[in-house]
C-alpha cells in the first residue's frame, strides 16, 4: 500500500484477494481491519466457518450516537469458464477503466469507502461514519446475518445506510425480494417398459414447472405493478432441474430449484401457497398410482425487498450529495432490505459502476465512476463534520 493511499491503490489491493464466495475472505478482512485500526477506527470482526470468513464493522468518530453506515460485500462470483483477456485478480488500468473481478460488484465502492474513512479520520466528526463489510452476499445475502445480529444487540445502531452496489451513482430506493425454493418431486421407480404403472418424478417436475409458468402469466397480467422496475411485476423462474439415473428406469426423484423475486407489495409465502394449491390436484392423481407420490417444498434462502420512501431524509441527503434528482429501482437484490426490515435502518443503494459489467469476463469500473463516488463520500464527510441531526 502507498504512503498516502488512494481509492485506486485500495482497489488494487482488494482485487488481489480472490474472495470468490466458495473461498475464504479473511485475508481481505484482515487487510481492511489493519488499515482501519491504523487510522484510529474502532473495529469489530465477526467470524464464521472456523475463522475462514468474517464480517467487519468499524466506526470513526463519536461512539455514543448513530451515524451513517457504508455497506459493501467482499465476496465475488467465480471466474471459472469465462474468457478473461486480463488477469481477473489483478487490477489492470486501461483507457480510463479498471479491470478485474469485483471492480464493479463491488470492491470499487469498498475501496472508495476505505479512502473516505482515511480522510474522515483526519476530521473532527460530529456524526460518526460506520463501515460494514460482509461475506457471502453473492450466494443470497447469507453472511451479513451475523453482523445484523450484532447490531441488533448493540445499544446504538446506525441511523441510515448507503449500500454501494453499482448503480452508476444513481439513487436506488428499492429492489425486489428473493425467495429460493427447492421442490423435491417424489415418484415411484419401475422398468421403463412398464412406465405407465409408475409415477415419473421428472413428469411431476414438468407439471410443477408448467404451474410456475401459468402462475407467472397470471401475475404479470393481474398482479401488482411497479413501473420503476424493468420487470414491473413479481417474477417466478425455474433455474435448475435434476433427476433420473438411466433412460430405462422410471425416475422416482427429481429436483426443481426455482425462485420468486417479489415486489414489496407481494408476499412470497402467499405466492408459494398459490403454487401449492395449483399443483395439489396433480399430486392427488399421482397418489392413485403411488400413495407416496408428493412434491415437497423447501425454502433454502430468502431476503426481503427494499422500499425506501422518496421523501426519506436519507434519499434527500443523497440527492444533495450526488447533485442528482434521479431515482431508480434495481433488479438485483442487496443487503439493504435486511438492514431496513430487521434493524429499521433506512437504506438506499448508490455506488460506482454498472451491474451490466458485473459477473462477466473483463469486469470493469471506470475511473470517472470511482471519482464520482469519491466526490459523493467527501461531501458526506463534510456533512458528518458539521453533524447530521
Amino acid at each position: 500500500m502507498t504512503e498516502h493511499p488512494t481509492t485506486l491503490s485500495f482497489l488494487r489491493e482488494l482485487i488481489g484477494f480472490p474472495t470468490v464466495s466458495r473461498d475464504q475472505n479473511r485475508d481481505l478482512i484482515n487487510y481492511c481491519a489493519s488499515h482501519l485500526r491504523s487510522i484510529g477506527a474502532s473495529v469489530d470482526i465477526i467470524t464464521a466457518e472456523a475463522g475462514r470468513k468474517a464480517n467487519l464493522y468499524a466506526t470513526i468518530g463519536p461512539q455514543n450516537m448513530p451515524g451513517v453506515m457504508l455497506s459493501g460485500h467482499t465476496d465475488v462470483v467465480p471466474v471459472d469458464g469465462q474468457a478473461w483477456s486480463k488477469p481477473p485478480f489483478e487490477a489492470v488500468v486501461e483507457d480510463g477503466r479498471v479491470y478485474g473481478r469485483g471492480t464493479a460488484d463491488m470492491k470499487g465502492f469498498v475501496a472508495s469507502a476505505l479512502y473516505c474513512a482515511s480522510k474522515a479520520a483526519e476530521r473532527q466528526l460530529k456524526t460518526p461514519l460506520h463501515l460494514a463489510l460482509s461475506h457471502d452476499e453473492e450466494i443470497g445475502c447469507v453472511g451479513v446475518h451475523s453482523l445484523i445480529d450484532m447490531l441488533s444487540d448493540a445499544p446504538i445502531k446506525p441511523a441510515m445506510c448507503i449500500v454501494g452496489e453499482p448503480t452508476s451513482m444513481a439513487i436506488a430506493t428499492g429492489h425486489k425480494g428473493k425467495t429460493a425454493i427447492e421442490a423435491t418431486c417424489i415418484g415411484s421407480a419401475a422398468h421403463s417398459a412398464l412406465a405407465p404403472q409408475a409415477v415419473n418424478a421428472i413428469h411431476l417436475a414438468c407439471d410443477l414447472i408448467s404451474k410456475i409458468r401459468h402462475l407467472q402469466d397470471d401475475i404479470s397480467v393481474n398482479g401488482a405493478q411497479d413501473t420503476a422496475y424493468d420487470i414491473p411485476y413479481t417474477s417466478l423462474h425455474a433455474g435448475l432441474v435434476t433427476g433420473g439415473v438411466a433412460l430405462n428406469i422410471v425416475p422416482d426423484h427429481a429436483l426443481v430449484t426455482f425462485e420468486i423475486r417479489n415486489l414489496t407489495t407481494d408476499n412470497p409465502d402467499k405466492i408459494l401457497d398459490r403454487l401449492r394449491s395449483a399443483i395439489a390436484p396433480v399430486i392427488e392423481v399421482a397418489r392413485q398410482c403411488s400413495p407416496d407420490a408428493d412434491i415437497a417444498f423447501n425454502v433454502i434462502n430468502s431476503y426481503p425487498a427494499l422500499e425506501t420512501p422518496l421523501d426519506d431524509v436519507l434519499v434527500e441527503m443523497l440527492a444533495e450529495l450526488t447533485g442528482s434528482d434521479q431515482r431508480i429501482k434495481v433488479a438485483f437484490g442487496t443487503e439493504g432490505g435486511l438492514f431496513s426490515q430487521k434493524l429499521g435502518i433506512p437504506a438506499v443503494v448508490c455506488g460506482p459502476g454498472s451491474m451490466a459489467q458485473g459477473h462477466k469476463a473483463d469486469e470493469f469500473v471506470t475511473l470517472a465512476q470511482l471519482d464520482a463516488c469519491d466526490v459523493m463520500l467527501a461531501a458526506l464527510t463534510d456533512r458528518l463534520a458539521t453533524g447530521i441531526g
Side-chain angles (χ1 to χ4, degrees), residues 62-127:
Q63 303 286 314
N64 61 346
M65 65 179 66
V68 178
M69 180 168 68
L70 306 180
S71 169
H73 65 81
T74 61
D75 60 318
V76 297
V77 296
V79 299
D80 309 55
Q82 295 185 335
W84 283 75
S85 66
K86 298 169 177 61
F89 297 109
E90 177 183 330
V92 176
V93 182
E94 290 182 3
D95 301 323
R97 297 174 173 180
V98 186
Y99 292 90
R101 173 56 86 220
T103 47
D105 184 19
M106 56 176 295
K107 290 180 177 179
F109 178 80
V110 175
S112 188
L114 288 172
Y115 179 67
C116 173
S118 300
K119 304 304 287 186
E122 300 171 357
R123 309 280 293 274
Q124 292 293 322
L125 302 185
K126 292 185 178 180
T127 300

Side-chain angles (χ1 to χ4, degrees), residues 8 10 37 67 89 95 113 116 235 267 281 290 307 310 317 376:
L8 181 57
F10 279 124
R37 285 173 175 147
F89 297 109
D95 301 323
C116 173
S235 63
N267 185 328
S290 173
E307 187 74 33
L310 293 176
M317 184 181 76
M376 184 266 282

Side-chain angles (χ1 to χ4, degrees), residues 8 36 55 92 244 269 273 307 318:
L8 181 57
L36 290 166
N55 298 318
V92 176
D269 293 333
D273 286 342
E307 187 74 33
L318 259 290

Side-chain angles (χ1 to χ4, degrees), residues 53-283:
K53 296 184 180 183
N55 298 318
L56 179 151
Y57 183 75
T59 299
I60 296 168
Q63 303 286 314
N64 61 346
M65 65 179 66
V68 178
M69 180 168 68
L70 306 180
S71 169
H73 65 81
T74 61
D75 60 318
V76 297
V77 296
V79 299
D80 309 55
Q82 295 185 335
W84 283 75
S85 66
K86 298 169 177 61
F89 297 109
E90 177 183 330
V92 176
V93 182
E94 290 182 3
D95 301 323
R97 297 174 173 180
V98 186
Y99 292 90
R101 173 56 86 220
T103 47
D105 184 19
M106 56 176 295
K107 290 180 177 179
F109 178 80
V110 175
S112 188
L114 288 172
Y115 179 67
C116 173
S118 300
K119 304 304 287 186
E122 300 171 357
R123 309 280 293 274
Q124 292 293 322
L125 302 185
K126 292 185 178 180
T127 300
L129 175 71
H130 310 289
L131 268 65
L133 305 180
S134 67
H135 66 89
D136 285 350
E137 187 274 347
E138 292 289 5
I139 57 174
C141 299
V142 174
V144 76
H145 286 277
S146 61
L147 190 151
I148 288 173
D149 290 342
M150 185 198 77
L151 289 176
S152 179
D153 294 334
I156 299 173
K157 302 173 182 59
M160 56 188 72
C161 175
I162 302 171
V163 180
E165 294 274 10
T167 64
S168 299
M169 296 306 296
I171 302 167
T173 61
H175 64 69
K176 294 180 181 179
K178 177 182 174 180
T179 301
I181 304 110
E182 283 184 346
T184 302
C185 303
I186 302 168
S188 55
H191 192 291
S192 62
L194 304 174
Q197 297 178 4
V199 175
N200 189 314
I202 292 179
H203 290 184
L204 284 178
C206 291
D207 291 336
L208 174 62
I209 293 170
S210 177
K211 297 300 183 184
I212 290 172
R213 295 180 66 186
H214 289 155
L215 181 54
Q216 172 69 98
D217 290 342
D218 179 68
I219 289 173
S220 67
V221 175
N222 301 311
Q225 303 277 324
D226 186 341
T227 56
Y229 289 103
D230 292 336
I231 306 298
Y233 46 81
T234 292
S235 63
L236 289 86
H237 154 78
L240 293 169
V241 182
T242 58
V245 175
L247 181 59
N248 62 350
I249 301 174
V250 177
D252 59 359
H253 278 78
L255 187 69
V256 179
T257 307
F258 66 100
E259 69 176 23
I260 302 169
R261 290 187 179 261
N262 65 286
L263 299 176
T264 311
T265 49
D266 285 339
N267 185 328
D269 293 333
K270 291 183 178 180
I271 293 172
L272 185 55
D273 286 342
R274 287 182 63 185
L275 185 60
R276 285 192 178 99
S277 296
I279 199 65
V282 174
I283 297 172

